[in-house]
Amino acid sequence: MPLATARWCARQGWPVHPLAPGRKTPAANCEACRRPGHSHAGCACPSEGRWCHSFHAATLDQRRIDRWWGNNPQFGTGVACGPAALVVIDIDAHATKPPSRDRILPGIPISDQVNLAGLTNGFHTIALLAALRDMPSPADDNTTLRVRTPSGGLHVWYRVGDSRSWQCSSGSSPGRALAWQVDVRANGGYIVAPGTTTTTGTYTPLGPVRRPAVLPDWLAQELERTGHLPALDVPAPRAVPPRAQQAVIAAGGGRHHTHNLLASVLAPVEACGQVAEGAGFSDILNRAAYTLGGLVAASRLSQQEAEDLLLQTAAAARPGQEHRAQQIIRSGMAAGLKRPLYPGSVR
């Protein structure tokens, strides 16, 4: 029953929106929202209780859900992946001739000596990627929610285990792509809910598992490698803040003071670990990196020591964001290395 499906998804914390009757596409917008040039940005329809603009209107409001699907029992159910913190690996099963070898597994060269006979769909390419990493294929992952599609494909549902904002992709794209015939549904997209029926069939869960497992580390690494994270917004280098300057001055001369100095500089980064998100983490880490870069330039510690300390502290405060932290650290330290910080003087 569509209403029961929508209610169940909402109880999982997955915002839902209606799909057109018998189809896997969103329900139509109102007449005003269908006009050329109209955008969801600033549109009042979602806030006024209308389902215009697909996943942008997705909701957890049970009263709204009851009204939408109660009045339109023929609707299917879509789940907005980004707000639901979901990454769904959408494996297609269209038996077709594969593209050129460089597009089968983007970024991984496949030699002409490798026999690709029999490789015809996404089940094969995701299995090949997993085998190269010595991991089981997501298609065989019985620890997470898997949904068979009417066309014979498979949706493998995972939940995001950290704060990274994974992006969607199409497996046939010449740009961002995980593997040929393997799409990724994440921020900026939606997925058809299990139990939804279209004119071609029902999206049917496999096995007893009905909850997504955490996205495996190896798969997260592959998504990062293939460009599924938004462009990093690394903060511009800033001058050493007064508190950091004072810490350097207070440390005075002598190597034995360095431990206390480092603890003072790294303390704001550590404090970010007490807050689930936000807290200006990027800027705080950038400032710490800038300060330690200045200390490296003043020969108070080695660059490797500084980088290791910063990365360890950042990883403890924001697990799973090591790649982003490395880029922020490199940027901040590069700027700090140009301005040595000497105890007893303010530069």
Side-chain angles (χ1 to χ4, degrees):
M1 182 178 178
L3 176 56
T5 297
R7 285 174 172 172
W8 180 82
C9 289
R11 287 196 299 271
Q12 313 312 306
W14 307 338
V16 292
H17 61 96
L19 302 181
R23 302 174 64 183
K24 60 180 182 180
T25 54
N29 291 345
C30 69
E31 184 177 351
C33 292
R34 290 197 294 267
R35 292 172 184 164
H38 181 79
S39 168
H40 73 275
C43 179
C45 284
S47 63
E48 293 175 357
R50 289 188 284 273
W51 56 71
C52 299
H53 304 296
S54 179
F55 57 86
H56 295 291
T59 184
L60 294 174
D61 187 325
Q62 289 288 350
R63 288 175 298 180
R64 185 172 296 184
I65 290 169
D66 288 347
R67 184 171 70 252
W68 284 353
W69 277 270
N71 294 336
N72 303 276
Q74 74 279 19
F75 276 164
T77 302
V79 172
C81 293
L86 293 171
V87 173
V88 181
I89 308 302
D90 181 358
I91 305 171
D92 290 332
H94 310 305
T96 57
K97 182 180 179 180
S100 57
R101 289 172 178 259
D102 63 325
R103 290 181 58 188
I104 292 174
L105 295 178
I108 299 177
I110 299 178
S111 168
D112 291 338
Q113 280 69 48
V114 176
N115 184 1
L116 297 180
L119 188 149
T120 61
N121 60 46
F123 285 93
H124 299 149
T125 57
I126 195 67
L128 176 59
L129 177 61
L132 288 173
R133 304 306 185 219
D134 197 26
M135 292 292 176
S137 172
D140 300 324
D141 188 353
N142 59 11
T143 69
T144 195
L145 172 61
R146 293 176 299 160
V147 180
R148 181 71 68 187
T149 71
S151 63
L154 189 69
H155 292 168
V156 185
W157 293 50
Y158 291 110
R159 58 184 172 88
V160 180
D162 51 41
S163 60
R164 284 181 287 185
S165 182
W166 300 108
Q167 306 296 295
C168 293
S169 71
S170 169
S172 60
S173 171
R176 179 199 301 152
L178 180 63
W180 176 62
Q181 283 210 34
V182 178
D183 299 339
V184 176
R185 310 295 183 187
N187 277 281
Y190 69 93
I191 194 71
V192 180
T196 295
T197 297
T198 67
T199 55
T200 57
T202 299
Y203 287 75
T204 307
L206 296 182
V209 178
R210 294 294 181 270
R211 302 291 176 85
V214 174
L215 181 69
D217 288 342
W218 79 269
L219 198 49
Q221 290 172 3
E222 292 303 311
L223 291 173
E224 184 172 0
R225 179 184 64 80
T226 50
H228 286 81
L229 286 176
L232 290 173
D233 181 19
V234 177
R238 296 190 179 191
V240 178
R243 281 185 299 177
Q245 293 177 336
Q246 294 302 318
V248 175
I249 294 170
R255 180 76 178 182
H256 65 281
H257 293 284
T258 301
H259 177 78
N260 290 338
L261 172 58
L262 293 176
S264 175
V265 174
L266 295 172
V269 181
E270 293 176 343
C272 289
Q274 306 303 313
V275 182
E277 190 56 55
F281 175 72
S282 296
D283 189 55
I284 289 170
L285 178 59
N286 180 68
R287 292 187 182 196
Y290 190 113
T291 303
L292 292 200
L295 295 176
V296 170
S299 300
R300 296 301 304 274
L301 73 165
S302 72
Q303 185 168 347
Q304 188 63 57
E305 286 177 311
E307 290 178 352
D308 289 347
L309 283 169
L310 286 162
L311 188 56
Q312 290 168 12
T313 307
R318 288 289 185 272
Q321 299 188 33
E322 286 81 2
H323 180 70
R324 174 175 176 77
Q326 285 175 335
Q327 293 198 268
I328 295 171
I329 289 167
R330 283 197 295 266
S331 174
M333 285 200 65
L337 287 168
K338 299 175 184 177
R339 296 179 63 88
L341 273 173
Y342 297 101
S345 66
V346 177
R347 300 258 172 160

